[in-house]
Amino acid sequence: MSREISVFSRWLLASRPRTLPAAIAPIVLGSALAAHQHAFQPAPALLCAAFALLAQIGANFANDYFDFRRGADAPGRLGPTRAVASGLISPRAMLGATFLVLALAAIFGCALITYGGWVIILLGVVSLLAALAYTGGPFPLAYHGLGEVAALVFFGYVAVLGTFYVQAGSPLPPVAWLAATACGLLAANILLVNNVRDFASDARAGKRTLVVRFGRQFAHRLYAFNVATALATPVFFLIAGFNPLVLVALAELPLGLLLARFLAATPDGDGLRFNKLLAQSAQFLALWAGLMSLGIMFG
């Protein structure tokens, strides 16, 4: 199998391109909030995007490596092919690539000092350590039910508010915190789908995700709650004085309801449907962030 796939295709597979919209969406949203205050700056926005994208790829590489080492990517798993577990990339090469990509992310992060000061270094270091600690280190977050919390913090508060801060400075408006919360919750939904799909294999490997701890019904309700929170966000923006154009994000309501129903209706073992739903959840986040950003900027 490994001989039939080009080197580029192997690394593209390992980067998990379906998850990458989750890295860019909060940058777009934070930049829109800065633009609303007439403070948009393209250079720091692009630096934030580069850092976020590389950090996400590095986290995916690390996850591929550490899940293989911990036995979570055992034969028979329902998710997409994992590069190390399938023999497409050696563990040593994957670990080296992880540190290389995270080092590149650190370079872009350092360039942001000019715009955000030394506090950006602290945020960057914590973000990169979290990318490794998601499934690696002595206390892997995903193995202790903290994966969704990490998504809320880093794809929500750190990414959205950090992007806003390096362009507009402080203080951070309350609506920025609200938008960051909604963005992080939608990013957490991507993990929820992943963890519902891998419920059985995660339990066998000792990976105590929220789904393993509390069951599928809890995951279904949390997914629906996160969607509802994101769709309620433009209403609160309107109450805060934003132009009604921000309500364009409510166009996603039928899709959000549909995705929540699909998650609840997908039977255990239907890997193809779960994988499709995972990609659709990432697309839902990207579309929500795009529509919110349009409403914020042009309203």
Side-chain angles (χ1 to χ4, degrees):
M1 178 181 177
S2 61
R3 293 180 180 178
E4 300 173 358
I5 302 178
S6 68
V7 173
F8 173 79
S9 296
R10 298 179 196 186
W11 288 106
L12 180 63
L13 174 71
S15 72
R16 308 182 192 178
R18 290 184 174 185
T19 68
L20 298 184
I24 300 301
I27 310 304
V28 173
L29 188 57
S31 296
L33 289 164
H36 181 75
Q37 296 198 358
H38 308 287
F40 173 71
Q41 299 182 61
L46 290 173
L47 288 172
C48 286
F51 175 86
L53 193 60
L54 289 168
Q56 177 64 22
I57 293 173
N60 289 341
F61 285 176
N63 178 245
D64 202 306
Y65 172 82
F66 287 114
D67 267 356
F68 168 75
R69 287 298 190 192
R70 295 178 184 275
D73 285 344
R77 69 182 300 274
L78 298 174
T81 301
R82 290 292 174 250
V84 175
S86 64
L88 294 174
I89 298 173
S90 71
R92 182 177 179 180
M94 184 62 78
L95 187 61
T98 298
F99 286 108
L100 174 61
V101 171
L102 293 180
L104 290 173
I107 292 173
F108 285 101
C110 288
L112 284 165
I113 297 176
T114 305
Y115 302 95
W118 290 99
V119 68
I120 294 302
I121 291 296
L122 176 61
L123 289 177
V125 169
V126 172
S127 298
L128 296 180
L129 289 177
L132 291 171
Y134 179 68
T135 50
F139 190 82
L141 300 174
Y143 284 74
H144 292 84
L146 295 174
E148 288 81 2
V149 175
L152 170 62
V153 171
F154 292 100
F155 290 91
Y157 302 123
V158 172
V160 175
L161 301 181
T163 300
F164 176 88
Y165 177 76
V166 297
Q167 297 178 62
S170 57
L172 299 169
V175 289
W177 288 91
L178 177 60
T181 300
C183 191
L185 290 176
L186 289 182
N189 271 0
I190 302 171
L191 285 181
L192 276 174
V193 175
N194 182 85
N195 293 339
V196 170
R197 181 197 65 203
D198 294 342
F199 171 83
S201 59
D202 285 346
R204 287 193 298 268
K207 192 174 182 179
R208 302 284 293 171
T209 64
L210 287 182
V211 186
V212 173
R213 288 177 181 271
F214 302 113
R216 277 198 63 164
Q217 288 299 319
F218 172 83
H220 300 163
R221 294 189 183 101
L222 182 57
Y223 187 100
F225 171 82
N226 293 346
V227 169
T229 300
L231 293 174
T233 297
V235 177
F236 286 102
F237 267 71
L238 181 66
I239 295 172
F242 280 70
N243 189 284
L245 186 60
V246 76
L247 296 178
V248 69
L250 289 176
E252 275 202 295
L253 176 60
L255 178 58
L257 293 173
L258 196 61
L259 293 180
R261 289 184 61 185
F262 279 172
L263 177 62
T266 301
D268 294 336
D270 192 347
L272 290 177
R273 184 67 194 93
F274 277 120
N275 295 338
K276 184 177 180 181
L277 183 57
L278 187 150
Q280 290 169 331
S281 297
Q283 293 162 4
F284 183 89
L285 166 58
L287 181 58
W288 176 86
L291 292 175
M292 280 292 297
S293 297
L294 287 174
I296 290 169
M297 287 189 299
F298 296 109

